[in-house]
Amino acid sequence: MSDSAVPPRAGDSDVFRAEADEPCPPRRRPWVLAAAVLGSTMAAVDGTVVNIALPALQQDLGATLVKLQWVVEAYALLLGALILTGGAAGDRFGRRRIFGAGTLVFALASLWCGLAPDMTQLIIARGLQGVGAALLVPGSLSIISAAFPKAERGRAIGTWSAFTALAMALGPLLGGWLIDNASWRWIFFINLPLAGVVLWVLRVYVPESRDRGVGRTDWWGSALAVIGLGGIVLGLIEGSRLGFAAPSSWPALAVGVVALVGFVAVEARLRTPMLPLGLFRSGDFAGANILTILLYASLGGLIFFFPFVLIQAHGYSATGAGAAFLPLIVLILVMSRWSGGLVVRVGGRLPLVIGPLIAAVGFGLFALPNDGVYWQSFFPATVVLGIGMAIVVAPLTTVVMTSLNEDQAGLASGVNNAAARIAALLAIAGFGVLFTATFDAGLTQGVEALSLQPDAQIAILNQLGRLAAVDLTGVGDADTQGAVRSAISAALVDGFRAVAVVAALLAALSAAAAAVMIGGRPAPLKR
């Protein structure tokens, strides 16, 4: 659930809002909605289900933690860095054209993912999936906005939101079932028939639309965003593996920082930047995005490592791991309408302080010692986290949308959506440093306590990056190997608990950001 770190939000309905010269005929509108729903479903399900597949990938392809991180990060990097550009490209070159191109790229990349014989090809294919998703995710909403008149647009977008949320809830269950009963490769193959239907509907029923007044596409900003974020992610991941003094670590971090500084400089000078820096003069908008980065970093980091603990430390099936976060999604769906009404009654600041604090308690509950039994250990934590996130999601969207002028509302929501995705991207790399250090220290201590032969100890400690996939061939008898596996499980739990503690701290900081920067009652949309 790397992209899973971005639950469906009401504000996503306004991302890249498009105005059509003439909405399409009524008989075509259900088909337009179907294409948008199926397209966004592919991206949403792929984002939620891949984390569940990581332990199976490790077993099948012998992957290290670093390569598993890149399976998620390659997708998240290109999606997060290019999503604003994808929306702008649709406005300029044609929304149906760009949405169709994204769907085709996503489908071909999914085929490549499913056929990938090794981790290197899988990582490259996942990056290509991210490019496709960056084109189709904003396009799914813009073609709805272009096809439906204002009077019907809200209901259409509500339908889109409901189906996308349902896909995010059921996707991990379906993916886990496919992993348990067929192969991890089928979580990618299942995209092919969906993409075929989307492309057919686009060709037959969806009219083309574009914004004739849109400026030039910000390719320089896109390139610098990819290089900057990619350099930081590479540096963090390599640093967790080799240390931050390694030649592959600190230069990557340096390049990333320089590229992001260059990105800010370019955006400040362009007439039509993908990220207008003037947006952040609004304290509410800046505060909402800081909250988003901190809170969604917490969620993204926790969700990445949770399946490892469930499957490799506690023996859950992939289906069971896929169902573990279902209460969180359900609570967001059930409570979002109520929490959206809070903004009208009490303003934006209070729910954006209380919600993250409750979420922080939920993250903290994951860090408590437990026996691994879901209903006793993880269900309470998931419920508390879900309540906290449900209180946050709708008010956060409202604050973002009302913090700027009405004609900037779509861009504001798009920026906030990208911020949530980028936060999860950086969190997986950053939390990986903490998880790796904690796991390595715990397993080293556990192995030393077993008094193994020196060559056996060396053989195990040379495989720390493989987590539970350590090859124990020749390491003592069956009892000894069982003791080593128990030490591995304990080290995994230690690493996850460290991640949960830091996630709780970041969530609490997000509440502090809201308290300091966000006003009490959001103003109506400015004109």
Side-chain angles (χ1 to χ4, degrees):
M1 224 168 149
S2 114
D3 220 30
S4 62
V6 188
R9 301 181 294 169
D12 292 349
S13 64
D14 290 292
V15 179
F16 312 110
R17 187 172 61 187
E19 296 290 346
D21 293 334
E22 192 71 41
C24 71
R27 63 183 178 81
R28 291 190 176 192
R29 291 173 197 161
W31 293 98
V32 173
L33 183 57
V37 165
L38 287 176
S40 61
T41 292
M42 288 194 302
V45 170
D46 240 61
T48 58
V49 77
V50 168
N51 281 12
I52 309 301
L54 294 179
L57 286 173
Q58 188 175 44
Q59 184 176 16
D60 192 15
L61 300 180
T64 62
L65 175 60
V66 167
K67 290 186 176 179
L68 293 175
Q69 284 177 289
W70 275 114
V71 168
V72 175
E73 296 287 63
Y75 178 87
L77 168 64
L78 290 162
L79 172 57
L82 297 178
I83 189 170
L84 291 173
T85 302
D91 289 341
R92 184 179 182 191
F93 299 110
R95 299 178 182 104
R96 184 183 70 170
R97 177 181 298 170
I98 296 301
F99 182 73
T103 301
L104 180 61
V105 169
F106 193 89
L108 293 176
S110 296
L111 178 62
W112 190 2
C113 288
L115 297 175
D118 54 50
M119 289 298 295
T120 300
Q121 288 199 38
L122 180 59
I123 291 168
I124 295 171
R126 283 283 290 165
L128 188 60
Q129 264 194 324
V131 174
L135 299 177
L136 72 87
V137 167
S140 67
L141 285 161
S142 63
I143 64 172
I144 291 176
S145 293
F148 285 80
K150 284 186 176 181
E152 299 179 22
R153 191 176 300 153
R155 181 176 297 178
I157 288 175
T159 302
W160 174 91
S161 299
F163 276 99
T164 302
L166 183 63
M168 290 187 69
L170 298 181
L173 283 173
L174 173 61
W177 185 87
L178 288 172
I179 293 164
D180 285 335
N181 294 279
S183 167
W184 60 266
R185 298 180 185 275
W186 280 97
I187 68 172
F188 299 110
F189 290 148
I190 199 171
N191 292 325
L192 299 180
L194 293 177
V197 172
V198 170
L199 291 172
W200 176 78
V201 173
L202 284 176
R203 180 178 178 83
V204 176
Y205 292 103
V206 179
E208 185 59 282
S209 65
R210 56 175 54 85
D211 184 350
R212 296 179 180 86
V214 74
R216 298 176 63 182
T217 304
D218 181 9
W219 299 116
W220 278 109
S222 301
L224 287 170
V226 172
I227 294 169
L229 293 171
I232 290 175
V233 169
L234 175 62
L236 290 173
I237 291 177
E238 288 298 295
S240 70
R241 183 171 69 97
L242 301 173
F244 288 97
S248 58
S249 180
W250 67 264
L253 286 170
V255 168
V257 171
V258 170
L260 289 182
V261 171
F263 170 79
V264 173
V266 167
E267 298 305 283
R269 298 182 63 178
L270 286 179
R271 179 181 296 179
T272 56
M274 68 184 243
L275 179 60
L277 300 181
L279 300 178
F280 295 95
R281 294 193 187 101
S282 165
D284 281 1
F285 184 75
N289 279 282
I290 291 173
L291 181 152
T292 298
I293 289 169
L294 293 171
L295 186 59
Y296 280 83
S298 302
L299 189 62
L302 187 95
I303 287 173
F304 177 83
F305 291 102
F306 194 38
F308 286 107
V309 173
L310 292 179
I311 294 173
Q312 296 185 336
H314 297 302
Y316 283 53
S317 66
T319 306
F325 258 104
L326 189 58
L328 183 146
I329 301 295
V330 171
L331 284 167
I332 291 174
L333 288 174
V334 171
M335 293 179 62
S336 283
R337 186 178 183 88
W338 167 80
S339 65
L342 286 177
V343 180
V344 178
R345 296 193 296 273
V346 301
R349 181 194 292 146
L350 188 60
L352 293 183
V353 171
I354 292 176
L357 288 176
I358 294 174
V361 173
F363 287 122
L365 291 175
F366 281 103
L368 296 179
N370 61 72
D371 56 10
V373 177
Y374 179 74
W375 297 108
Q376 299 173 15
S377 304
F378 301 120
F379 178 73
T382 304
V383 168
V384 174
L385 177 59
I387 292 171
M389 291 302 300
I391 292 173
V392 168
V393 169
L396 175 61
T397 296
T398 303
V399 170
V400 168
M401 300 291 290
T402 58
S403 61
L404 302 172
N405 294 328
E406 186 176 19
D407 60 356
Q408 295 176 307
L411 177 61
S413 186
V415 170
N416 186 249
N417 187 276
R421 296 176 188 279
I422 291 170
L425 165 77
L426 296 177
I428 291 170
F431 278 114
V433 177
L434 174 63
F435 183 91
T436 298
T438 308
F439 174 83
D440 290 356
L443 184 55
T444 300
Q445 183 178 4
V447 167
E448 290 175 350
L450 294 176
S451 301
L452 300 175
Q453 294 295 322
D455 57 340
Q457 286 193 32
I458 293 171
I460 294 169
L461 299 180
N462 282 341
Q463 303 178 69
L464 287 174
R466 300 189 66 191
L467 302 181
V470 169
D471 184 2
L472 298 181
T473 303
V475 178
D477 56 17
D479 290 340
T480 302
Q481 291 182 7
V484 172
R485 295 197 183 282
S486 295
I488 292 171
S489 296
L492 284 170
V493 172
D494 288 344
F496 178 71
R497 291 174 64 192
V499 166
V501 169
V502 175
L505 293 175
L506 291 178
L509 283 176
S510 74
V516 172
M517 300 183 70
I518 295 176
R521 182 176 295 276
L525 279 175
K526 303 166 189 173
R527 296 185 180 275

